[in-house]
Amino acid sequence: MLDSLRREGIYLWYYFSVQLEQVFRYWVLGMVIGSAISVFAKDRLHGLFRAMAGRRLGVFGVVPASLLGIASPLCMYGTIPIAASFARQGMRHDWLAAFMMSSILLNPQLILYSGALGTTVLWIRIISCCICGMAAGWLVGAFYSKRPFFDFRGFEDPVSRDTHPNLLVRFLKNLWRNVKATGPMFLLGVVLSALFQRYVPSDWVASLFGENEGFGVLLAATIGVPLYACGGGTIPLLQAWLIDGMSLGSAAAFMITGPATKITNLGALKTILGFRHFALYLIFVMGFSLITGLITNWIF
């Protein structure tokens, strides 16, 4: 009995160490670059978006709005006060929808994390998230051009925590906050990945997420709702699933529904959307993820 437990421990440590070695550098790089952008470039990025308010870009404004949302390092709870201040300055709600949608799905840190999944998956994630933001903006512009989609009442202008006069200290404090926020979930993801690789047969993964591509996409989109907790934590799981036979379309669907339905993001969005708009948001996310997954499988 003791020998069997020791042997299982050796196997699990092997899977854990291999997975950690593969993704750890991407997590560290994401922490460093994300904190650098948050401290040194965040105000500049938001200034670029604020400057769009006076330009006559029309429906095409959702394109730069979506790109700037991806470049923003803020979480949803940090993005909403920023968006509220933009709205008070006259920013169009379709542009705000594009900015907020893409900001939910992706940020500079998660882009770097996703490098562990390979170049193809990384580009699928970037392109699909950008298009999702633009689609959200176009739909809001089409159906809510005469009335506001968001309700930002009660939200004050954001107060930055990065205020130390020494830039290096400011950067290190931001980096430590990011490590504390994402480190536990990152390690949990590596542990779950090791358990998954040890005890879940690869044929089972392939049959669920790969062989029956339509069902696999639907299943991946569905499990993305309860399973997703942290972007860094899901990268090891996705890597293991892809190795075991998960289709690229299923991965793409998971990468849309996961962050879009993350419980903390949903809680923040519910406060500014109301029940009806919140329901529309969920329908849009599920529909877009399914379409993205099916198109991805058709292309690849």
Side-chain angles (χ1 to χ4, degrees), residues 217 248-249 252 288-300:
V217 170
L248 291 178
F288 186 89
S289 67
L290 288 173
I291 293 171
T292 299
L294 292 173
I295 291 176
T296 300
N297 275 342
W298 177 70
I299 294 175
F300 293 95

Side-chain angles (χ1 to χ4, degrees), residues 197-259:
Q197 288 180 294
R198 173 59 182 158
Y199 298 113
V200 178
S202 59
D203 292 345
W204 184 79
V205 178
S207 64
L208 284 179
F209 297 115
E211 294 174 1
N212 189 337
E213 294 184 349
F215 175 75
V217 170
L218 177 62
L219 181 62
T222 303
I223 66 171
V225 176
L227 186 60
Y228 199 95
C230 169
T234 54
I235 295 299
L237 284 173
L238 271 173
Q239 188 180 57
W241 291 342
L242 286 166
I243 291 173
D244 287 341
M246 184 185 216
S247 71
L248 291 178
S250 296
F254 181 87
M255 290 187 292
I256 293 292
T257 59

